[in-house]
Amino acid sequence: MTGNGKNGKNGKGAISAEARPVKRCAIYTRKSTTAGLEQDFNSLDAQREACEAYIRNQEAQGWTLLPESYDDGGFTGANTERPAFQHLMVDVEAGKIDVIVTYKVDRLSRSLLDFARIIEIFERHGVSFVSVTQNFSTADAMGRLTLSLLMSFSVFEREMIAERTRDKMLASRKRGKWTGGTVPFGYQSVDKKLVVVENEAAVVREIFSLYLETRSSLAVARSLNERGLLKTVKGKNSLPKPARAWTVQSVGQILTSPIYAGLIRAGDLVVPAEHEAIIGESQYKAVQRLRAAYTPSGPRLGRNPSYLLRGLIRCAHCGAAMTPGSTRKKRKKGDAKEYRYYRCSTRDKQGTDACPSRPLPAEAVEAFVIERIKDVAQDEKLLRETWAKLEGRIATEKATLTKRRQALAGDIARLSLETRRLAESLGSGISGPARQIIEGQLEQTSNLLTDSERQLHNLELRLDALNGSRANFTWVARMLKNFDILWQSMTPVNRRRLVLALVNEITVNEKTDTATVVMRDWAEGISGESEGNRDRPDYQDEASAAGEART
């Protein structure tokens, strides 16, 4: 200590040189070309001389120059593939450097993204960075503020790169090109294109056929696994991995992918793809309609279709939905019997004080509803009226949609020409404010074109659904005509499908032993219209359910 005051201070209160922490400084210099480096005093020497002078001015702060030289002559700053720079980063990570000094910021890097990554490494190892000619130093508050601004621009640049990448991928997909990712089962990647693998494609065809037959992903998975048709899984570069058993999820992924119908998703659109299809588009659409399993304004078929009234039955006391449940009890013979029932969800969640309704036996309530359906099956006049109403609604909506489709096709043609014209204008070398105006117009026109294409795609889907409405009604009418015979042979899925097509709501009053069955307006339900304020000739039947729906 040179001072004789307390805590190592001299009479003026300054910290002694011995107590001041030493900051080890490294100078980094770079020149993009080798021109002039053969001279006795070249650009690298000039950069080093300026940096050394700056460090000498900071000696009072404990700065000291390391003897190691980090000079890159003839290396671009657009990347970090520079030998001296790599050596510098190794020493930073080894904890040998406290401050890095450069002549200008761009000597360290010309890439904002690289610069941000470099600064992150410096901060992680407690290293400060100084640019001697730009008054830039991360060792003080102003330098850190400048760094924050640079980092903000770095984030902006990364986001712009991501947006350009997404736009490029979307444009490629709109042209039907596969843009990479996990190679779908049934295909392999050859020269960045999907090529059919025939032995896997046969399994894909089997999956779609089985699903149309069974309406169950679980049944499909079980059938494939029992026959040893396991799923081969591809890793990177289409290299195979050990085969796996099929699951409901993996079967569902196959069934919902448009890839197998020769289509590909491009944002909100599904467009024709350049790869070969494994199944027909009509088969794919048929599976999608079954998987949707909706009757408009009605519930899904559900995982357990044996509960025919799931989502339809309500409690008369509190108005809440009644949910299915079951229990198994052993009988005298030692075997167990399953008892199915519907219970009020309010009572289930809040107790008997909220709703006193007791669980209802499922078989009795379902039998009562089936009897009401049989009554409707005998009403041929109702079927004829419903068919006429359905035909009228389909014709009206088709006319409206066809007119809208023609208008959209004209809009798409006009916008496509305008987009091409604007793109050609930009390619002609126009610059300045005029270029910015055209770029804005091009972006707006492209967005309008994308929106019009999306609307046309949705409209085509709606027209396709209308074409299936007649088939749905024909199926329902056929089921009703031979109801007694067909009901016994129908699968649980088809039984529930029929009930959902016919019944709108069931209200059961456990206290009065009555049930109200409100039948659906089939023309509205089957055609897929969802407007709920239309007059509807509901078929209602309120009758005593004593002995049938009694708990």
Side-chain angles (χ1 to χ4, degrees), residues 2-15:
T2 57
N4 46 15
K6 292 183 178 180
N7 299 325
K9 292 184 180 181
N10 57 24
K12 296 182 180 180
I15 301 177

Side-chain angles (χ1 to χ4, degrees), residues 11 15 29 38-39 43 45-46 88 96 122 144 154 165 188 265 290 293 295 320 374 437 476 481 483 507:
I15 301 177
T29 63
E38 73 282 357
Q39 298 175 5
S43 175
D45 297 326
L88 175 71
K96 297 179 179 179
F122 289 174
R144 287 189 290 272
S154 175
T165 302
Q188 62 179 338
R265 288 194 177 93
L290 284 176
T295 51
K374 286 182 181 179
I437 292 173
V476 172
K481 187 174 182 180
F483 186 85
T507 304

Side-chain angles (χ1 to χ4, degrees), residues 195-262:
V195 178
V196 174
V197 179
E198 192 51 47
N199 62 326
E200 293 182 359
V203 178
V204 171
R205 297 186 190 101
E206 182 73 1
I207 288 173
F208 278 86
S209 297
L210 280 174
Y211 186 81
L212 288 173
E213 178 183 339
T214 64
R215 268 81 166 174
S216 169
S217 297
L218 179 60
V220 173
R222 284 176 176 170
S223 176
L224 296 175
N225 293 334
E226 287 171 359
R227 288 183 287 162
L229 300 175
L230 302 182
K231 180 183 180 182
T232 54
V233 182
K234 301 180 183 69
K236 293 183 178 179
N237 301 322
S238 299
L239 296 177
K241 291 183 177 181
R244 299 177 185 173
W246 288 96
T247 64
V248 172
Q249 291 74 24
S250 57
V251 169
Q253 289 172 357
I254 299 290
L255 294 171
T256 56
S257 175
I259 288 286
Y260 300 105

Side-chain angles (χ1 to χ4, degrees), residues 12 53 72 93 123 180 205 228 256 320 342 350 377 431 480 494 533:
K12 296 182 180 180
D72 277 320
E93 293 179 355
E123 288 185 341
R205 297 186 190 101
T256 56
Y342 294 96
Q350 303 177 32
S431 61
L480 291 176
N494 276 337
N533 296 324

